[in-house]
Amino acid sequence: MGTSTAGSLSRTGDIHGFTLIELVVVMTIASLLFFFSVPLFENIRFFSGGSSAGDLAGLADELRERAVSLQADHQLHIDTASNRVWITDSRMPDTALENAGNESFNLSEELDILEVRFLSGSGPNTEAVIRFSRQGYADSALIHLNENQNAMTVRIDSFLPRATLAAGLGLDSPEMVELSRWAFPGSD
């Protein structure tokens, strides 16, 4: 007698591939990983060593966020005479604070910091320190610079979450004079 194959599932030959269920499960897992990882990278800015004025504004934003997340005050040191920038924070030991200036990085030749002015009226100095507090505040400052012979200004406000970059504003332009009068009353 012969055996009946009706109702039995048997594969004949060598079949390769994935089932629809396997593909759906893998796509679901990948989607969930992507969904939860995107917010982690949303606020990350990459600082390429000062190759542009936007990088300097991004560094200011990053320091404000880092100060809040680590609950430690951070300082951005800017030396306009040597065109160098370095970072310190309140958790650093005294020896590291003393050596931080030696471990600074030079800005690119295309980027030249002209001056840093503060809302408190101090400035311009050859070395400026912009403080970012653990509560999310920062010193209000205007960083005037030239990038490839284009006048630019990075504006850091105490209560605004992001630094702003204004292109084409020279130190003597009418817009910058008006901005300085608004930001620094009594500095005429």
Side-chain angles (χ1 to χ4, degrees), residues 6-45:
S8 69
L9 295 175
S10 65
R11 292 187 180 189
T12 57
D14 198 15
I15 299 176
H16 298 284
F18 299 101
T19 66
L20 181 60
I21 297 295
E22 291 170 329
L23 291 174
V24 168
V25 168
V26 168
M27 291 302 294
T28 303
I29 291 171
S31 298
L32 287 172
L33 288 173
F34 181 73
F35 177 76
F36 287 111
S37 65
V38 167
L40 297 175
F41 297 106
E42 184 176 89
N43 293 324
I44 292 179
R45 296 179 185 244

Side-chain angles (χ1 to χ4, degrees), residues 116-125 184:
V116 179
R117 296 190 56 116
F118 292 93
L119 181 61
S120 63
S122 64
N125 298 320
F184 311 113

Side-chain angles (χ1 to χ4, degrees), residues 40-58:
L40 297 175
F41 297 106
E42 184 176 89
N43 293 324
I44 292 179
R45 296 179 185 244
F46 297 97
F47 187 65
S48 62
S51 63
S52 72
D55 283 344
L56 195 56

Side-chain angles (χ1 to χ4, degrees), residues 31-174:
S31 298
L32 287 172
L33 288 173
F34 181 73
F35 177 76
F36 287 111
S37 65
V38 167
L40 297 175
F41 297 106
E42 184 176 89
N43 293 324
I44 292 179
R45 296 179 185 244
F46 297 97
F47 187 65
S48 62
S51 63
S52 72
D55 283 344
L56 195 56
L59 178 61
D61 294 343
E62 175 70 24
L63 285 176
R64 185 187 306 253
E65 292 169 7
R66 194 184 311 173
V68 171
S69 67
L70 298 176
Q71 285 297 294
D73 294 343
H74 283 63
Q75 296 82 31
L76 174 63
H77 301 261
I78 301 173
D79 187 349
T80 58
S82 61
N83 223 29
R84 295 180 310 130
V85 175
W86 66 96
I87 300 165
T88 59
D89 70 58
S90 60
R91 301 171 304 143
M92 295 174 78
D94 291 337
T95 55
L97 288 172
E98 293 170 7
N99 294 328
N102 298 331
E103 298 173 5
S104 64
F105 46 91
N106 292 323
L107 300 173
S108 69
E109 293 180 13
E110 292 83 25
L111 190 65
D112 184 34
I113 297 180
L114 302 175
E115 72 174 14
V116 179
R117 296 190 56 116
F118 292 93
L119 181 61
S120 63
S122 64
N125 298 320
T126 57
E127 185 178 327
V129 179
I130 302 172
R131 290 173 179 78
F132 299 89
S133 77
R134 66 189 83 193
Q135 289 86 15
Y137 306 121
D139 291 340
S140 292
L142 297 175
I143 305 171
H144 302 293
L145 44 95
N146 278 331
E147 181 178 16
N148 295 322
Q149 304 303 319
N150 295 320
M152 305 187 104
T153 299
V154 175
R155 180 178 171 184
I156 301 171
D157 286 309
S158 292
F159 302 106
L160 296 180
R162 298 270 181 234
T164 55
L165 181 64
L169 296 181
L171 291 175
D172 298 326
S173 70

